[in-house]
Amino acid sequence: MILPHHIHVAAFFFHPVEGGEALPSPSDLWTLRHWTWELNITIPLVLCAAWYLAGSVRRGRHTMLRWRHAAFWAGWLSLIAALVSPLHQLGDSLFSAHMLQHEILILVAAPLIAASHPSVTLLYALPSAARRTIGGLVSGMERHPILALATGPLASWLLHAVALWGWHIPFLYQASVTSDVVHALQHLCFFFTGLIFWSALFGAGRSSMSYGAATLYTFGTAIHCSALGSLLTFSTVIWYPIYADRTTAWHLTPLQDQQLGGLLMWVPSGIVFIVIGVALFARWIESAEERHKHTSMSEITIGGTQ
């Protein structure tokens, strides 16, 4: 049967990923058909980029804000790597690829975009009247006691932990592999809880927590992430049987794939948390020295008061 040309084109770009026959294999992973062109993913990413670009052009001060802009675009590109590149479809074949995708969302995209403090730049893309109105509303919402508590350090830490552990409950995780809707909900949950968590640490718009508290929350997150990763690594039971007949093409048994995924969550993510934690600890020491300099009697002595 000869199909019309437009049906061939649609099948090329929107080939179903379920059912086994369309899952990526080592020989065709990087072909165009395994990039994700779903409009519900690409349109928000393109709109977000265009919105930020318009805001950054209108805001100006590019030299002063260059590191924030660099952080935003690095975070945006990491979202492309996680959600559009073949890694997205490879997650249907391998649990370890799915773990790598989640690590990029939580440990690369979310902290980079949180560090860019994008809200003001995004507001600049709006007309001045709308900018003042929406900026005032957002500022008022940030000061609301309930929202301030929900996005505060402790609540954001708990929210992120619940999301991470909850989505690894077998029936929820397997639902994310079989349902596009649940899969999208899982990724949104990981990214936005990560964004709230890292924003609380970096202080997005409001006063940030002390560097000491941020250091403790970072190492606390490293501990529970590593615990989950080690459980997956050392378990002799397959947590997600849905991968049982999908790993052979990649020369892995389902248990080896699970162990690799556990290691990705345990070791690389632990290193990222440690690096960020050490950086925050260094800033904590610096801020303590600054406070000491301004409150120490030595300043009075140097000034010749005594």
Side-chain angles (χ1 to χ4, degrees), residues 119-143:
S119 56
V120 175
T121 299
L122 292 172
L123 281 174
Y124 266 88
L126 303 174
S128 56
R131 189 190 316 159
R132 286 193 294 273
T133 302
I134 295 177
L137 287 173
V138 172
S139 179
M141 289 172 64
E142 285 183 342
R143 290 195 296 269

Side-chain angles (χ1 to χ4, degrees), residues 33 55 73 76 98 112 118 161 168 210 234 236:
R33 69 186 303 170
W73 289 112
W76 185 84
H98 210 173
L112 282 171
H168 286 86
S210 70
F234 291 116
T236 57

Side-chain angles (χ1 to χ4, degrees), residues 77-92:
L77 286 173
S78 67
L79 287 176
I80 295 292
L83 302 176
V84 179
S85 82
L87 178 63
H88 184 63
Q89 291 196 19
L90 186 58
D92 289 325

Side-chain angles (χ1 to χ4, degrees), residues 129 134 138 142 156 186 226-227 231-232 235-236 240 250 272 277:
I134 295 177
V138 172
E142 285 183 342
S156 62
Q186 182 194 51
S226 297
L231 285 175
L232 285 162
S235 176
T236 57
Y240 311 113
W250 295 87
V272 172

Side-chain angles (χ1 to χ4, degrees), residues 241-259:
I242 195 168
Y243 289 107
D245 60 350
R246 301 184 180 198
T247 60
T248 305
W250 295 87
H251 309 292
L252 292 171
T253 66
L255 191 57
Q256 288 172 333
D257 180 39
Q258 178 176 297
Q259 291 168 338

Side-chain angles (χ1 to χ4, degrees), residues 191-205:
F191 176 68
F192 283 107
T193 58
L195 194 62
I196 292 170
F197 172 72
W198 291 110
S199 295
L201 261 64
F202 298 153

Side-chain angles (χ1 to χ4, degrees), residues 85-172:
S85 82
L87 178 63
H88 184 63
Q89 291 196 19
L90 186 58
D92 289 325
S93 294
L94 297 175
F95 169 76
S96 51
H98 210 173
M99 287 301 95
L100 178 59
Q101 185 184 29
H102 294 167
E103 296 306 304
I104 292 174
L105 290 174
I106 295 170
L107 288 175
V108 182
L112 282 171
I113 291 177
S116 74
H117 294 193
S119 56
V120 175
T121 299
L122 292 172
L123 281 174
Y124 266 88
L126 303 174
S128 56
R131 189 190 316 159
R132 286 193 294 273
T133 302
I134 295 177
L137 287 173
V138 172
S139 179
M141 289 172 64
E142 285 183 342
R143 290 195 296 269
H144 192 281
I146 295 177
L147 190 60
L149 178 65
T151 58
L154 179 60
S156 62
W157 184 83
L158 288 172
L159 190 66
H160 182 51
V162 168
L164 185 70
W165 283 79
W167 278 109
H168 286 86
I169 296 172
F171 83 89
L172 277 178

